[in-house]
Amino acid sequence: MTARRADAQRNYDLILATARTVVAEQGTQASLRDIARRAGVGDGTLYRHFPTRDALLEALLRQGFDRLAGRAAELAAALPPGAALRGWLTELVGGAQMYRGMPGSLVAVLTDTTSPLHEACQGMREAAAGLLRAAQQAGEIRSDIDETDALALINSVGWIAEQNPQLASRHDRLLAVVLDGLAA
Amino acid sequence: MTARRADAQRNYDLILATARTVVAEQGTQASLRDIARRAGVGDGTLYRHFPTRDALLEALLRQGFDRLAGRAAELAAALPPGAALRGWLTELVGGAQMYRGMPGSLVAVLTDTTSPLHEACQGMREAAAGLLRAAQQAGEIRSDIDETDALALINSVGWIAEQNPQLASRHDRLLAVVLDGLAA
DNA sequence: ACCTGAACACCGTTCAAGT
DNA sequence: ACCTGAACACCGTTCAAGT
């Protein structure tokens, strides 16, 4: 991929930047043809660089995942274990809501080792596992759940507001209910 | 609607029965054209009887909603308030999972008074509100939530398994976490 | 190597023409 | 009053033809 031809690299970047805009506007189910058209490339060019929709979303999200993994380390250093985990999960669900459909993509990919999104997810997963383990050892979080449970539940709360914008005002309370359920 | 012509009534029933099968197979996003084709009617006939996808889903679900409202009364009579609410919510999420996409339709319609699904939802809503109020007065459920919160959260747990079948084995545990979060 | 865009098989939705 | 199916404007995806 480092030996990419200059025009190919330019198109790759162009498609990705356009996809970021269009997905922010229309969600993860945005028309791929629309993305290609607005990027000014042929349909086939999009498919050459991103053979599946997940491949495109993956490229779109890798940055966000890396950032979240970094935030986990910061929070772990700054806060007690339970507060660090709760703070991190709260940031995660806020970030996933930036793109409509993202909680779904994230949950779908959580256990799918074949998806390109899964690889990008791993760093974040391990960060989640670390925070969770520490909070469990401190006796602040129930011991019968793992990081997959926590990520699935938190994203499901993000999904609610995206499914029905009128419920967005309830988001904080719903998140609090789930976090209380995770407590020991 | 009682003065429906015989052929219209026959088509209405035929479309609904076919939709039940197809939605069970393919979820709430099933192709409307496919439903019309398998019912043996023209595309326009489906639109005449069900002008929107929601109208079709509503007809499909009214029975289930009525049944759930009835179950609420049974559980309220047979169990202490907290157990009645928890049992009812557990049945609800099990039923909603029968059709892929149903938790989403239900949450979407929860606050939309214009949708035909909303009307069908009202009986169930009131049943939920009654169970919830009793459980809150008994001090078993936290007092800062309403039935909309409870229904949204429970359906979000149903959404998880539908989004990623590999997470289905975690369903009972995830439901337990949310129910614990709802406890006082 | 990479790009383009026509082509194919779908989809939701509408509406003139029939009975 | 109701039904039909062609028609329209989309969509995802592929692939021969170009550079």
Side-chain angles (χ1 to χ4, degrees):
Chain A
M1 66 173 82
T2 49
R4 221 187 235 125
R5 234 167 61 175
D7 57 346
Q9 181 65 48
R10 195 183 143 277
N11 279 332
Y12 180 93
D13 295 341
L14 200 53
I15 291 166
L16 204 50
T18 308
R20 200 176 294 280
T21 304
V22 177
V23 169
E25 284 174 17
Q26 306 179 14
T28 54
Q29 291 309 308
S31 158
L32 298 178
R33 175 166 288 162
D34 191 32
I35 293 171
R37 199 162 29 211
R38 284 168 65 167
V41 302
D43 300 336
T45 305
L46 188 148
Y47 276 87
R48 160 167 278 266
H49 289 297
F50 304 101
T52 69
R53 172 174 246 114
D54 266 359
L56 184 55
L57 296 177
E58 180 268 347
L60 218 52
L61 286 187
R62 178 159 288 163
Q63 280 190 331
F65 284 152
D66 291 349
R67 199 186 57 78
L68 271 170
R71 279 297 289 160
E74 292 176 28
L75 289 170
L79 295 172
L85 177 66
R86 284 189 294 273
W88 186 79
L89 289 175
T90 302
E91 291 192 18
L92 183 150
V93 68
Q97 279 178 302
M98 281 187 48
Y99 300 112
R100 197 155 21 96
M102 221 35 106
S105 298
L106 207 155
V107 167
V109 97
L110 217 48
T111 61
D112 179 3
T113 52
T114 68
S115 159
L117 245 182
H118 182 262
E119 189 193 343
C121 207
Q122 283 306 326
M124 193 195 56
R125 258 184 100 90
E126 286 159 21
L131 286 173
L132 181 64
R133 219 167 8 240
Q136 284 172 328
Q137 279 167 4
E140 297 198 54
I141 297 291
R142 59 199 289 162
S143 58
D144 64 338
I145 63 155
D146 62 17
E147 83 278 6
T148 301
D149 293 325
L151 289 169
L153 273 177
I154 288 298
N155 277 287
S156 82
V157 174
W159 165 84
I160 292 172
E162 143 186 319
Q163 204 66 22
N164 185 337
Q166 288 194 56
L167 299 179
S169 63
R170 298 164 183 266
H171 174 78
D172 289 350
R173 182 166 58 251
L174 297 178
L175 185 58
V177 170
V178 169
L179 291 176
D180 284 353
L182 292 174
Chain B
M1 63 174 82
T2 49
R4 222 186 235 124
R5 234 168 58 177
D7 56 346
Q9 182 64 49
R10 196 184 143 276
N11 279 332
Y12 180 93
D13 295 340
L14 200 53
I15 291 167
L16 204 51
T18 308
R20 200 177 293 278
T21 304
V22 177
V23 169
E25 284 175 15
Q26 307 178 15
T28 53
Q29 291 309 307
S31 158
L32 298 178
R33 176 166 287 162
D34 192 30
I35 293 172
R37 199 162 28 210
R38 285 169 65 168
V41 303
D43 300 336
T45 304
L46 188 148
Y47 278 87
R48 160 168 278 265
H49 289 295
F50 304 101
T52 68
R53 173 174 245 112
D54 267 0
L56 184 54
L57 295 177
E58 179 269 348
L60 219 50
L61 286 187
R62 179 158 288 166
Q63 279 190 332
F65 284 152
D66 291 348
R67 200 187 56 80
L68 271 169
R71 279 297 288 161
E74 292 177 26
L75 289 170
L79 294 171
L85 178 66
R86 283 190 294 273
W88 187 78
L89 290 174
T90 302
E91 290 191 19
L92 183 150
V93 67
Q97 280 180 304
M98 281 189 48
Y99 300 112
R100 196 156 21 96
M102 220 35 106
S105 298
L106 206 155
V107 167
V109 98
L110 217 46
T111 62
D112 178 4
T113 52
T114 69
S115 161
L117 244 181
H118 182 261
E119 190 194 343
C121 208
Q122 284 304 326
M124 193 195 56
R125 257 185 102 90
E126 285 159 22
L131 286 173
L132 181 65
R133 222 169 3 244
Q136 284 172 328
Q137 280 167 5
E140 297 198 54
I141 296 291
R142 58 197 291 162
S143 58
D144 63 339
I145 63 157
D146 61 17
E147 82 279 5
T148 300
D149 293 325
L151 288 169
L153 274 177
I154 288 297
N155 277 288
S156 83
V157 174
W159 165 82
I160 292 172
E162 142 187 319
Q163 203 66 21
N164 184 338
Q166 289 195 55
L167 299 179
S169 62
R170 297 164 183 267
H171 174 77
D172 290 349
R173 182 167 57 253
L174 297 177
L175 185 58
V177 169
V178 170
L179 291 177
D180 284 354
L182 292 174

